[in-house]
Structures are given as C-alpha cells and as structure tokens.
Amino acid sequence: MTTVPSAPDDNRVVERAGWAPVRHFAERSVLGLIAVIAVGLGFAALLLLVRFHWSPLQSLDHAVADGLNHRVAGSSAGVKVLEQISSFGGRAFMIGLVTVVVTMLLIRRRPRLALYLVVTGAGALILDPSLKTLVGRLRPVVESPVAHAPGNSFPSGHALGSMVVYGMLALVLLPMFRSRWRPWFLALAGGIVLLIGFSRIALGVHFLSDVVAGWLLGIAWISTTAYAFRVWRREAGHPADDVIHDGLEPEAARDLRLAPAEGAVLPHPWAKGAEILVGWVLTFGLLYLLGYGVTRWNPGWDDGVPRWLQTFRTPALDDVSWWWSKAGDTHAILAVSLVFCPIALALWRQWRPVLFLVLTMIGELTLFLTSAAAVDRPRPGVEQLDGQMPTSSFPSGHIAATLCLWTAIAIIVMARVRTPWRWIFPVLAVLMPLGVALSRMYRGMHHPTDVLGAMLLTAAWLTVLWWTVRPNARAVTATEAALESRQLVVA
C-alpha cells in the first residue's frame, strides 16, 4: 500500500491563511532590500566624490561650514549648547550608555538582544577609524574656530556612532512602549541623531558631507545587523515580525518594561509632595541656624584643622586628594546616579527606590545652594589648592552629595539583597564621604564645621524622605520581582 506524503507545514499555513501574509512579507523584504541598497550606494557615491575632490561638493561643504561658523562664533552660550549636544554623540558617553543597557538586558535575561548591541556597536567602532584612514580628509578650516577635534574628517564619527547607537537602542527597546507611543519614541531617537550631526557642522569640526556620510553608513550597518538578527530569530522558530513597528524582539516586551508589576509609586502624591516641601523648609532652617552660628562664632580650631593638614602637603598627597575630591563633584555623583538608577530598575522592577534616590540628590543640591547663598561663609584662611570657588564654604557640597548618594544607595540595597556582599555599600557610605571630607579640608576648601553642616543636611533630608517616600515599603529581591512580573502576565 502506497502512502501519500502529507503536505509540508508551510503549505498548510498557506491553505489556512491564504497567500496575503506571504505576499506582504515578500513586499516588505524587497522594499527593505531596495532601501538598504540605496543607502549603501549613497554612501559609496559620497565617499568617491570626497576622495576625488569633486568641486561642487567641496564648494557646498565650505559654504555651509563658513555660514554656520559666522552665526555661531559670536555666541558663547550657543557654543556651549552645541558642545553639550555634541557630547551625547561622544564615544565615552555612548559606550557608557550601551554598557548600562547591555547590563540591564543581561539582568532581565535577554542575552540575544545584549549580544546584538555589542556586535553592532563594535562594528561602528571599527568602521569609523578605518574609513577615516582610508579617505584621509582634513577637517574644515573656518575663520573663527570655536571647537577642535583630532583625526581626520570623513565620515563623522559622531554622526555614525549616534545613528548606530540610538538607532539600535530604538529597535531593541521599542517593544517596551505601547503602539501609540512607538512613533514618538522613534522620532525622539531620530531627533537626537539629527541634532548631534548639526552640532558637529555648526562647531566647524565636520563638513556637511561628513555628517551625511556618517548617517548613511550608520543606517546601512544597522540594517545589515538587524536583518542578521531577524534571520537568527526565524531559525530559532520565532515569527518574522516587522522590525520598524514591533522592534527586534517583540516577545521581550514583558522583560523590557521597567516596572510592570508596580502600582501607584506614591499614594496621595499631592499630600506627599506637601510633606516633602515642609521637610525641605525645616531642613533648610536647621542648616541656616547652624551656619549662622559657626560663621559668627568661628572657633579657632575650625581654621586650625585645615592649617594643620596643610603641613602634610606633598605632590603625591596633592594628587591623591585631588582624585578623592573629584569623587564628590557633580560629574562623579551624576555618573554614579545614572548608572545605579537603571540597574536598580532592571533588578527590582520598582520606581520607588529610584524616586527615593532622585529626590535625595535633588534635595541635596537645592539645600546646598540655598543654604550656601544664605550663610555666605568665607573659605578657610589657608592656601586653597582648588582656587576660587563660586559658592561659599558652608555646608560642603562635595561631602553632602557623597554622603547623600552612598547612604541612599546603602538604604536601598540593604533591604533588597540577601547575600553578604551587600555590606559593601554601608562600608562605601562611610569610606567615600570620609575620604572626600579629608581631601577637601587638606586642600584648604572647608572647615570641620562645614563637614558638620553636610552631615546635618544628609541626616535631616534622608529622614524626611524615609518617612514620606518609604523606599523599602515593598522591598523585594531581584528573584521575587521577576516572579511577580511573570505571575502578572499569567493572570
């Protein structure tokens, strides 16, 4: 007896659904291929025109560079804004951003997306210097230079890097948004890329063709790696979704959402806001009273401690104290906060601890600035290694920021981590402020009572936020948070 072979699974799918899905998939694939080829050809054409010094393109590049330079050179504020925008496309910033997102994806057990970010980002790092060396184009020479950059000009590394980084992040994180918000998210990523490219031309460090070439190359590289990722998913048995509308991995939506199982972050937010404001005013009152007292009293030992520490100064200790002092400045505190907050969200899937840390640092900054302006205490009467500072001596902003940051992190971690390594954070909450305090007094920037003011600010402000925000009200471990999220999806 002859057995008739059954139809393949693909044929049965076609019989049930018709040819429309297959036709739509083919149309999208062909259109995507045409778009990628067009982008690649556009980049290749620009490369050849630049390499062989095509006069019309050179005239356009120089005209745009000179015109923007005339507009920007006379405005120092405009230059600072452009430099800040440009920094969002800098290599250090983007590597840090990708590293944080990769860490979050690994925590949420999405290694395939993490690998995609690493491979795509590494490719951009290889393409940029290789093509710059191949073309060897010099940077623009303008009448009134406002910025400088090393290396060759074509293509723009900032334009290429920002297109790749913000483009691949948009494709990876797209599933975490609802459908109606996805176009806005993509528009935001595109706007950032456009602003970074414009800033490089306006600062006079790149020609227009450098930036356009960077964008085209970035689009071509993202398209290539996204297609490879799509093939990888299909081989793993996942459906071929529309990357632009659904993201690279639509099934990762649950793990990409920051706090899927959390309800209201704070009950009665208006009442809580009023309580926090009252606490801020009372904390400021305590700081002003202490600052007024030590400024008018000014005990002799308060200047004596910095004078005594000054006797130990050596070039080596000056360098050590400079590094310790930097651990409490705005850039270091902001960097630690920007790394800790997304990792905390990835681990515990709660906004409340992040809100606690954010309010801690905002309150510290505003309390320091207002109390320093109100008290207006002069710096110690010794040689000040950091020179003239824009703020007064009381309280110490470096020490207060370090105390608030590491104490808040210790409070958050100790309630959510069960392993012995959690004790690292209370130790850091002691050692970091201690090192900053000694370095600030050693460098002649603060009195001991300024340190006391920083301690009062930290104790009072964290007490206010502890009772109002209740950062550990529903503290869960990372495992418990992941289990809650899965149970919510099943329900």
Side-chain angles (χ1 to χ4, degrees):
M1 180 177 179
T2 304
T3 303
V4 179
S6 60
D9 290 343
D10 291 345
N11 290 342
R12 288 204 300 268
V13 171
V14 171
E15 290 173 3
R16 291 196 302 268
W19 287 99
V22 178
R23 187 177 68 252
H24 293 160
F25 170 71
E27 290 173 353
R28 289 196 300 267
S29 299
V30 171
L31 289 175
L33 178 62
I34 292 173
V36 172
I37 292 174
V39 168
L41 290 175
F43 171 77
L46 268 179
L47 188 150
L48 291 174
L49 293 175
V50 168
R51 188 71 180 84
F52 292 103
H53 310 289
W54 192 50
S55 298
L57 180 61
Q58 286 187 321
S59 299
L60 175 63
D61 278 339
H62 286 288
V64 172
D66 292 336
L68 286 175
N69 179 251
H70 284 306
R71 291 181 177 274
V72 170
S75 172
S76 58
V79 171
K80 289 181 180 179
V81 170
L82 290 170
E83 288 177 340
Q84 185 60 56
I85 294 173
S86 180
S87 69
F88 295 132
R91 181 171 296 183
F93 178 83
M94 292 193 296
I95 289 176
L97 177 61
V98 173
T99 301
V100 170
V101 177
V102 166
T103 304
M104 293 178 67
L105 290 171
L106 292 175
I107 291 172
R108 293 291 178 92
R109 298 182 180 181
R110 288 292 171 181
R112 187 159 50 191
L113 289 175
L115 181 60
Y116 168 78
L117 292 181
V118 171
V119 171
T120 306
L125 288 175
I126 296 170
L127 287 171
D128 175 38
S130 302
L131 288 169
K132 275 186 166 65
T133 303
L134 174 66
V135 178
R137 188 186 200 184
L138 297 179
R139 293 189 181 270
V141 177
V142 292
E143 183 179 348
S144 305
V146 296
H148 301 278
N152 293 319
S153 186
F154 184 95
S156 167
H158 280 64
L160 168 61
S162 62
M163 179 61 76
V164 170
V165 168
Y166 293 107
M168 69 183 184
L169 288 179
L171 294 179
V172 167
L173 301 179
L174 197 60
M176 70 186 290
F177 297 95
R178 298 184 184 275
S179 297
R180 67 177 180 272
W181 293 110
R182 289 177 183 178
W184 294 100
F185 177 60
L186 292 174
L188 174 63
I192 293 172
V193 173
L194 289 174
L195 285 173
I196 291 171
F198 173 78
S199 71
R200 301 303 287 172
I201 304 171
L203 289 171
V205 293
H206 278 294
F207 293 111
L208 173 63
S209 57
D210 300 336
V211 171
V212 174
W215 287 339
L216 292 175
L217 182 59
I219 293 172
W221 178 241
I222 293 176
S223 302
T224 302
T225 56
Y227 178 76
F229 187 89
R230 196 182 187 195
V231 172
W232 186 12
R233 288 186 71 249
R234 289 183 62 193
E235 291 176 348
H238 296 287
D241 298 287
D242 190 341
V243 172
I244 299 299
H245 293 91
D246 302 317
L248 284 176
E249 204 164 68
E251 63 272 15
R254 172 178 54 83
D255 290 323
L256 292 177
R257 292 193 182 107
L258 297 178
E262 189 176 40
V265 179
L266 284 181
H268 313 294
W270 289 104
K272 290 293 183 182
E275 292 173 2
I276 292 172
L277 180 59
V278 170
W280 188 97
V281 172
L282 294 176
T283 302
F284 170 75
L286 291 174
L287 286 170
Y288 181 75
L289 288 175
L290 178 60
Y292 182 86
V294 297
T295 302
R296 300 302 182 273
W297 175 37
N298 197 22
W301 54 267
D302 216 20
D303 267 339
V305 172
R307 292 183 187 279
W308 174 66
L309 290 174
Q310 188 180 25
T311 62
F312 295 95
R313 287 182 181 175
T314 63
L317 286 179
D318 288 352
D319 291 339
V320 172
S321 69
W322 185 85
W323 283 108
W324 265 115
S325 182
K326 283 294 180 183
D329 73 1
T330 303
H331 295 90
I333 297 298
L334 183 61
V336 174
S337 301
L338 290 176
V339 170
F340 178 81
C341 287
I343 291 177
L345 273 172
L347 283 169
W348 301 305
R349 307 180 190 227
Q350 293 179 334
W351 280 105
R352 188 174 293 205
V354 174
L355 177 65
F356 175 69
L357 182 63
V358 170
L359 289 176
T360 297
M361 302 318 300
I362 292 175
E364 182 277 327
L365 179 61
T366 53
L367 284 166
F368 156 66
L369 291 175
T370 52
S371 56
V375 174
D376 196 24
R377 187 185 195 188
R379 300 276 174 178
V382 297
E383 181 190 1
Q384 297 162 15
L385 296 182
D386 292 339
Q388 187 69 29
M389 302 296 289
T391 55
S392 61
S393 184
F394 180 93
S396 169
H398 281 66
I399 302 167
T402 311
L403 269 170
C404 283
L405 174 68
W406 291 104
T407 304
I409 290 176
I411 290 172
I412 293 168
V413 172
M414 290 297 288
R416 291 169 171 81
V417 178
R418 304 287 184 260
T419 53
W421 65 264
R422 64 180 182 159
W423 291 100
I424 294 174
F425 293 93
V427 171
L428 288 174
V430 174
L431 292 182
M432 293 299 293
L434 181 61
V436 173
L438 286 174
S439 70
R440 297 301 286 169
M441 290 188 291
Y442 170 88
R443 299 181 68 82
M445 306 310 297
H446 287 293
H447 310 84
T449 49
D450 300 334
V451 179
L452 179 62
M455 296 171 64
L456 174 62
L457 186 157
T458 302
W461 183 234
L462 285 180
T463 300
V464 169
L465 294 180
W466 172 265
W467 289 108
T468 53
V469 178
R470 301 282 184 176
N472 297 333
R474 285 190 66 256
V476 293
T477 64
T479 303
E480 293 168 345
L483 183 60
E484 280 187 12
S485 178
R486 292 191 182 94
Q487 288 174 344
L488 180 66
V489 173
V490 172

